[in-house]
Amino acid sequence: MNTRTYLDNAATTPLDPEVFAAMLPYFQRKHGNASSLHEEGRQARKAVEDARRLIAEALSWDPEGIVFTSGATEADNLAIFGLARSRPDRRHIICSAIEHHAILHPCDWLEQQGYRITRIPVDTTGRVNPQSIADAIDDQTLLVSIMAGNNELGILEPIREIGELCRARSVLFHTDAVQAFGRVDLPTESTDLISLSAHKLHGPKGVGALAARPGMRLVPLVHGGGHERGVRSGTENVHGIVGFASACRLMVERRETLVERLSGFRKQLIDGVLRIPGTRLNGDRSGSLPHIANFSFAAIEGESLVMKLDERGIAASTGSACSSPNLEPSHVLQAIGVPIEMAHGSLRLSMGQQTTQADIDTLLRTLPGVVEDLRSISPFKLGDS
Amino acid sequence: MNTRTYLDNAATTPLDPEVFAAMLPYFQRKHGNASSLHEEGRQARKAVEDARRLIAEALSWDPEGIVFTSGATEADNLAIFGLARSRPDRRHIICSAIEHHAILHPCDWLEQQGYRITRIPVDTTGRVNPQSIADAIDDQTLLVSIMAGNNELGILEPIREIGELCRARSVLFHTDAVQAFGRVDLPTESTDLISLSAHKLHGPKGVGALAARPGMRLVPLVHGGGHERGVRSGTENVHGIVGFASACRLMVERRETLVERLSGFRKQLIDGVLRIPGTRLNGDRSGSLPHIANFSFAAIEGESLVMKLDERGIAASTGSACSSPNLEPSHVLQAIGVPIEMAHGSLRLSMGQQTTQADIDTLLRTLPGVVEDLRSISPFKLGDS
């Protein structure tokens, strides 16, 4: 296992041993329910509230607005449905065509209920033009949701500009910052709602948060004991929340050196992979997250590429892990206009804090041969597309 | 810490060290996303599906019907809202007056949307009369939801009879089995939906399940990547799910000896506590969960009792941890007709697998003096109520 090269950190990151160490006491003697009045309960409550403050600090946010969830999918759903149900008078939502399914599918559901959904197209690098958002806003618009950094392409969206124009038009602005938080600056002052996930930050699976402006009314997805100021009921996942906060703190502390290192690796990956004939970079060299690079290879099939790399000890993906069981070409690659035959031959390489120069060297040494082998057995010829 | 007596296992149970050992690899080298195609992903997928089979086996259920959630609150909400949204033609739901807030509050919400909710009263021990359910069912009834064992009183409901009468009337039957599973037999063959929580079974917080009849259509609370057969999107909490399954297996294996031991302790608690003047047992001596006993003390206040016991090293609660921050008397104690002054002086003692004879002795040695002290400073006199 230890000799494997894990380049699928956009799907999930290995838990940081320091994060695990922070969680450990909450699996052992600190086992209380944060709603209990006794010492065990107060200890759990303190851990949850300390974590909330830490995450708020990392985000420059008011701790009162941090709502812990089971992950970013729930956070995205809470943003969309929670707002829609609290403001039934406004029935128009704007998102981009390349949002995560955790945004697109709630919007599809609302559309079936009679909402208008405007899905803003992106340019060939995956960028949203803020002007198209300004043009789409009308007096029925409840919310604009544009992700900060795309999970497949790594492309950064102009969310500062979008947030400011939303504010000027009195429309709420949400961003899914799952991949971007801890890796780039977020314009939190012009954002009303932010979704975060712990397991994309070397924290544990099963925990995330929605940061909302304090006082914003959100109808819960999950009703019950009134936890999280009534917005999200259910016994707090204390160990998960503690791990999430620890992961946030470490990401912020290490960010500068990490981003510099991963940006260098990303450049090497792009330069190296583009030397393979019939290859294109999806996204852009600049204006991108430091840890994600996405490529298309003519005349091969992405799933085969991932399986062949896996046999050689390299973990990568064709796109979002969330839709891997689905063999349709990614909606993101379709949105940036990758020809459909090339969209099937996509490869996402994503790095984490554990990624080393040796991992990059291994990938760049292995990939050309794998691509060549697959093309030698492909029914398509290079140049067909 | 280790000298404390923890008698609040209905709020949450300490994680079993064997469960933690089962989870450990998934915090370390087995870090994959269960939707990824590569080795790390396949390993995570296998862990999730093995866990699903284990839980299904413990429940005598079809694994295809097990939907992992963030806990029982979400599972209860998914049962209520998931069914209501999939069958908008039937707008009547029946539950008991002593359900958990995770059932009552979703029902309240639906009532605001125009649903009819029938809340069946209980007798003075907390039991539902199946006949009142039969009488309440009409051709608009979508669902009957009655918990298997009450979390405050420990009382067992006649869910076999209720399940059978629902089946005979073609009405779906859900039970919240959070406290009952692994402690008593569940009539799974006459139940359509069951909610479970890991952290009430010496498993981790942040994970639970809704067991539903395979093929039953439930509209998701959380839409996105299509995980859990499209019913519950979001990256699987692999370590949590593995721990949940391990906890279920251990509960089943240990059940016979555990139930015998805890039933003996419960009898000692009841006999001992009732020796204190002005005390009543809420619930019943028999027909109860083995690990929960609930008492009321005249002329004292439950929160003060819990705090005084806490100072003496004993963790207990006034009722459900989920509503502890709320100082209203418990809806459960009100439903069984405990006079309101006595409902304020309630104490729930709940045991776990780690509970020892020494814990019981400590409680019974400490409680009479604490009650006497509190009464000596109480503005109410014993006998007032």
Side-chain angles (χ1 to χ4, degrees):
Chain A
M1 275 302 296
N2 293 328
T3 58
R4 283 181 60 88
T5 296
Y6 184 75
L7 290 172
D8 198 12
N9 292 274
T12 193
T13 51
L15 188 67
D16 189 293
E18 201 173 325
V19 171
F20 182 59
M23 295 168 72
L24 198 52
Y26 298 91
F27 290 119
Q28 297 173 334
R29 60 199 170 75
K30 297 188 175 183
H31 60 72
N33 181 319
S35 297
S36 297
L37 297 173
H38 46 62
E39 182 177 322
E40 289 83 349
R42 295 193 306 271
Q43 203 168 47
R45 171 58 52 207
K46 181 175 186 315
V48 169
E49 298 313 321
D50 286 352
R52 197 187 309 278
R53 271 190 297 276
L54 243 161
I55 291 167
E57 200 180 316
L59 205 60
S60 307
W61 205 265
D62 187 327
E64 293 210 6
I66 306 288
V67 180
F68 289 115
T69 66
S70 64
T73 292
E74 186 188 339
D76 282 346
N77 275 253
L78 179 58
I80 301 284
F81 289 124
L83 269 182
R85 290 176 187 146
S86 81
R87 293 290 307 272
D89 54 315
R90 291 202 172 201
R91 295 170 69 84
H92 177 228
I93 293 174
I94 299 170
C95 64
S96 83
I98 63 167
E99 293 304 303
H100 193 278
H101 286 143
I103 293 293
L104 292 177
H105 290 179
C107 287
D108 292 347
W109 170 258
L110 288 176
E111 195 169 44
Q112 287 169 22
Q113 313 298 310
Y115 278 68
R116 268 185 309 127
I117 308 294
T118 305
R119 298 169 187 84
I120 303 286
V122 293
D123 69 14
T124 55
T125 65
R127 283 199 191 85
V128 168
N129 180 350
Q131 187 57 46
S132 13
I133 293 186
D135 294 345
I137 291 174
D138 62 34
D139 60 4
Q140 275 292 302
T141 309
L142 170 66
L143 178 70
V144 171
S145 179
I146 303 292
M147 71 205 312
N150 185 269
N151 57 314
E152 294 195 33
L153 305 174
I155 204 79
L156 291 169
E157 299 297 345
I159 59 165
R160 184 179 303 275
E161 218 174 322
I162 296 170
E164 284 166 4
L165 77 85
C166 286
R167 186 139 303 180
R169 303 280 294 274
S170 299
V171 166
L172 294 170
F173 177 56
H174 166 257
T175 192
D176 177 326
V178 166
Q179 300 290 349
F181 173 71
R183 290 159 183 136
V184 297
D185 265 330
L186 293 174
T188 52
E189 66 291 351
S190 56
T191 308
D192 299 297
L193 296 136
I194 304 181
S195 299
L196 300 177
S197 167
H199 80 101
K200 310 289 193 184
L201 304 168
H202 302 282
K205 296 182 183 73
V207 59
L210 180 66
R213 290 268 155 238
M216 181 185 290
R217 193 172 125 72
L218 293 167
V219 171
L221 298 176
V222 174
H223 302 248
H227 307 78
E228 299 295 291
R229 298 173 188 271
V231 180
R232 204 286 188 175
S233 289
T235 299
E236 292 89 343
N237 176 357
V238 182
H239 44 74
I241 289 169
V242 166
F244 182 17
S246 167
C248 284
R249 187 179 58 76
L250 291 175
M251 282 300 284
V252 170
E253 278 178 22
R254 294 170 182 170
R255 183 176 132 184
E256 207 170 329
T257 51
L258 182 69
V259 166
E260 192 184 325
R261 191 160 56 88
L262 298 191
S263 299
F265 289 163
R266 184 172 187 271
K267 187 172 181 310
Q268 291 180 42
L269 283 176
I270 294 172
D271 291 343
V273 173
L274 290 184
R275 268 185 221 116
I276 302 173
T279 307
R280 61 169 266 163
L281 172 70
N282 298 319
D284 204 352
R285 277 185 176 269
S286 62
S288 178
L289 290 167
H291 67 302
I292 298 177
N294 190 311
F295 303 93
S296 280
F297 300 86
I300 62 173
E301 212 269 322
E303 273 73 27
S304 311
L305 185 53
V306 165
M307 297 315 292
K308 284 283 172 200
L309 287 172
D310 186 44
E311 285 169 18
R312 314 279 177 99
I314 298 172
S317 75
T318 57
S320 162
C322 303
S323 48
S324 284
N326 184 333
L327 294 179
E328 272 181 46
S330 142
H331 68 288
V332 175
L333 298 186
Q334 289 186 54
I336 63 171
V338 179
I340 202 152
E341 348 41 283
M342 234 181 163
H344 276 288
S346 67
L347 180 71
R348 180 183 67 181
L349 301 172
S350 54
M351 297 168 282
Q353 62 183 26
Q354 80 290 354
T355 303
T356 61
Q357 183 64 50
D359 291 329
I360 306 303
D361 295 344
T362 300
L363 185 279
L364 290 177
R365 200 169 50 236
T366 310
L367 184 63
V370 170
V371 169
E372 197 173 329
D373 286 355
L374 284 170
R375 280 177 178 161
S376 72
I377 58 163
S378 166
F380 305 101
K381 269 187 289 202
L382 186 57
D384 270 10
S385 49
Chain B
M1 274 303 294
N2 293 328
T3 59
R4 283 181 60 87
T5 295
Y6 184 75
L7 290 171
D8 198 12
N9 292 274
T12 194
T13 51
L15 188 68
D16 189 292
E18 200 173 326
V19 171
F20 182 58
M23 296 168 70
L24 197 52
Y26 298 91
F27 289 120
Q28 296 172 334
R29 60 198 170 75
K30 297 187 174 183
H31 60 72
N33 181 319
S35 298
S36 296
L37 296 174
H38 45 63
E39 182 177 322
E40 289 83 348
R42 293 192 307 271
Q43 205 167 47
R45 171 57 53 205
K46 182 175 185 314
V48 168
E49 298 312 323
D50 286 351
R52 196 187 310 276
R53 270 190 298 275
L54 243 161
I55 292 167
E57 201 181 315
L59 206 59
S60 307
W61 206 265
D62 186 327
E64 292 211 7
I66 305 288
V67 180
F68 289 116
T69 65
S70 64
T73 293
E74 186 189 338
D76 282 347
N77 276 252
L78 179 57
I80 301 285
F81 289 125
L83 268 183
R85 289 175 187 146
S86 81
R87 294 289 309 271
D89 53 317
R90 291 201 171 201
R91 294 170 70 83
H92 177 227
I93 292 174
I94 299 170
C95 64
S96 83
I98 64 167
E99 293 304 302
H100 193 277
H101 286 143
I103 293 292
L104 293 176
H105 290 179
C107 286
D108 293 346
W109 170 258
L110 288 176
E111 196 169 43
Q112 287 170 22
Q113 313 298 309
Y115 278 67
R116 268 185 309 128
I117 308 294
T118 304
R119 297 169 187 85
I120 303 287
V122 292
D123 70 14
T124 54
T125 65
R127 283 198 190 86
V128 169
N129 180 350
Q131 187 56 46
S132 15
I133 293 187
D135 294 345
I137 292 175
D138 62 34
D139 61 3
Q140 275 292 302
T141 309
L142 170 66
L143 177 71
V144 171
S145 178
I146 304 292
M147 72 205 312
N150 185 269
N151 58 313
E152 292 194 35
L153 306 173
I155 204 79
L156 291 170
E157 299 297 345
I159 59 164
R160 185 179 302 276
E161 219 175 323
I162 297 170
E164 283 166 6
L165 78 85
C166 287
R167 186 140 303 179
R169 302 281 293 274
S170 299
V171 166
L172 294 170
F173 177 55
H174 168 257
T175 191
D176 177 325
V178 165
Q179 299 290 348
F181 174 71
R183 290 158 184 137
V184 295
D185 265 329
L186 293 174
T188 50
E189 66 291 351
S190 55
T191 309
D192 299 297
L193 296 136
I194 304 181
S195 299
L196 300 177
S197 167
H199 80 100
K200 310 288 193 183
L201 305 169
H202 302 282
K205 296 182 183 73
V207 60
L210 181 65
R213 291 269 155 236
M216 181 184 290
R217 192 172 126 71
L218 293 167
V219 171
L221 297 175
V222 174
H223 303 247
H227 308 78
E228 299 295 290
R229 298 173 188 272
V231 180
R232 206 286 187 173
S233 289
T235 298
E236 291 89 343
N237 176 357
V238 182
H239 44 74
I241 288 170
V242 166
F244 183 16
S246 167
C248 285
R249 188 178 58 76
L250 291 175
M251 283 299 284
V252 170
E253 278 176 23
R254 295 170 181 169
R255 183 177 132 185
E256 209 171 326
T257 51
L258 182 70
V259 165
E260 192 184 324
R261 190 159 57 89
L262 297 191
S263 298
F265 288 164
R266 184 171 186 271
K267 187 171 181 310
Q268 291 179 42
L269 283 176
I270 293 172
D271 291 342
V273 173
L274 290 183
R275 269 186 220 115
I276 303 172
T279 307
R280 63 168 265 164
L281 173 69
N282 299 319
D284 203 352
R285 277 186 177 268
S286 62
S288 178
L289 290 167
H291 67 301
I292 298 178
N294 190 310
F295 303 94
S296 279
F297 301 85
I300 61 175
E301 212 268 322
E303 273 73 28
S304 311
L305 185 52
V306 165
M307 296 315 291
K308 284 283 172 199
L309 287 172
D310 186 44
E311 285 170 18
R312 313 280 178 99
I314 299 171
S317 74
T318 57
S320 162
C322 303
S323 49
S324 283
N326 184 333
L327 293 180
E328 271 181 46
S330 143
H331 68 288
V332 175
L333 298 185
Q334 290 186 54
I336 63 171
V338 180
I340 202 153
E341 351 37 286
M342 236 182 163
H344 277 288
S346 66
L347 180 70
R348 180 182 66 181
L349 302 172
S350 54
M351 297 169 283
Q353 61 183 26
Q354 79 291 352
T355 303
T356 61
Q357 183 64 51
D359 291 329
I360 305 303
D361 295 344
T362 300
L363 185 278
L364 290 177
R365 200 170 49 237
T366 311
L367 183 63
V370 170
V371 169
E372 197 173 329
D373 286 356
L374 284 171
R375 281 178 177 160
S376 73
I377 57 164
S378 166
F380 305 101
K381 268 186 289 199
L382 187 57
D384 270 10
S385 49

